[in-house]
Amino acid sequence: MLLPYHTPNVVEAGCDEAGRGCLAGPVFAAAVVLPDDFSCEELNDSKKLTEKMRYQLRPLIEEQALDWAVGVVSAQEIDEINILKASFLAMHRALDQLKVRPQHLIIDGNRFVPYHDISHHCIVKGDGKFLSIAAASVLAKTYRDDYMMKIGEEFPEYQWKKNKGYPTKDHRSAIERFGATCHHRKSFTLLDPQLKLDF
């Protein structure tokens, strides 16, 4: 069972990202502020949940959270600044949208770029330990999946509805056959290093 990461009388936001290891599409991040009495036994790291469960939990999180927001950084921006910086930027963009200003941030992972003057704590595998980070992981994952399924309609040959842009064998085969799209991250290794891709 996950726990609240609770400091008395401090408004905390949990942050997590989705899509960092993908070959195509943006990276999404979410920031979630949960009430002190929030409880949900089913909530966990989004990677440990089924797709059906993630989409069932999303409206519950959105309804019960004190505030939540999702930030996005495009594939083009990822190519310009690198995926690590893009992940932090996506979190910052999510935090920018919060109406409830947090006093402390808990971040999934081991690094973060400070957000204004708000203190933060990085927690490795935090999405499997604390409720607000797990909630952020569910929102980031589902909103990104929605986006990938939408653009997958325009580029069905890459099977983004199924692989969501991750480097599956079928996805790499489609890149080899059809080339890269405007949604692919050109700074990533899209093909086997022995193969050459012309942009």
Side-chain angles (χ1 to χ4, degrees), residues 149-167:
M149 286 189 282
K150 181 179 178 181
I151 64 173
E153 295 174 1
E154 185 180 355
F155 298 95
E157 58 270 29
Y158 298 92
Q159 300 186 45
W160 290 335
K161 288 187 176 183
K162 180 180 178 182
N163 63 50
K164 308 301 188 296
Y166 282 91

Side-chain angles (χ1 to χ4, degrees), residues 91-162:
M91 291 184 192
H92 283 209
R93 287 179 176 172
L95 291 164
D96 286 342
Q97 299 174 64
L98 293 178
K99 297 178 178 63
V100 174
R101 182 174 174 81
Q103 298 164 295
H104 185 70
L105 309 175
I106 53 174
I107 312 296
D108 183 58
N110 60 1
R111 283 189 286 178
F112 184 63
V113 173
Y115 180 76
H116 297 306
D117 59 347
I118 300 176
S119 62
H120 70 270
H121 184 195
C122 295
I123 304 166
V124 176
K125 297 184 179 178
D127 48 4
K129 298 175 182 176
F130 299 106
L131 288 166
S132 61
I133 302 180
S137 78
V138 168
L139 296 191
K141 172 63 175 168
T142 55
Y143 278 100
R144 187 181 188 281
D145 283 358
D146 286 348
Y147 180 88
M148 293 307 297
M149 286 189 282
K150 181 179 178 181
I151 64 173
E153 295 174 1
E154 185 180 355
F155 298 95
E157 58 270 29
Y158 298 92
Q159 300 186 45
W160 290 335
K161 288 187 176 183
K162 180 180 178 182

Side-chain angles (χ1 to χ4, degrees), residues 8-74:
N9 303 315
V10 174
V11 178
E12 293 170 340
C15 299
D16 198 7
E17 52 75 27
R20 189 165 157 178
C22 294
L23 302 180
V27 62
F28 276 58
V32 179
V33 181
L34 294 175
D36 291 343
D37 60 353
F38 180 85
S39 178
C40 180
E41 290 187 5
E42 295 82 9
L43 183 58
N44 203 338
D45 169 6
S46 64
K47 295 184 291 296
K48 297 179 181 178
L49 301 171
T50 64
E51 182 177 63
K52 180 179 179 181
M53 182 61 74
R54 288 193 292 266
Y55 279 99
Q56 288 177 341
L57 287 170
R58 186 167 87 179
L60 182 146
I61 294 166
E62 294 175 350
E63 290 166 9
Q64 296 192 22
L66 297 177
D67 203 358
W68 63 273
V70 174
V72 183
V73 175
S74 71

Side-chain angles (χ1 to χ4, degrees), residues 21-25 148 155-160 163-193 195-199:
C22 294
L23 302 180
M148 293 307 297
F155 298 95
E157 58 270 29
Y158 298 92
Q159 300 186 45
W160 290 335
N163 63 50
K164 308 301 188 296
Y166 282 91
T168 63
K169 182 178 179 180
D170 288 342
H171 188 184
R172 288 194 190 276
S173 295
I175 296 170
E176 182 180 359
R177 182 178 177 187
F178 301 106
T181 69
C182 59
H183 298 292
H184 280 98
R185 302 172 184 178
K186 308 303 191 296
S187 58
F188 279 46
T189 303
L190 300 179
L191 293 178
D192 184 292
L195 300 173
K196 190 175 188 302
L197 184 67
D198 294 322
F199 293 120

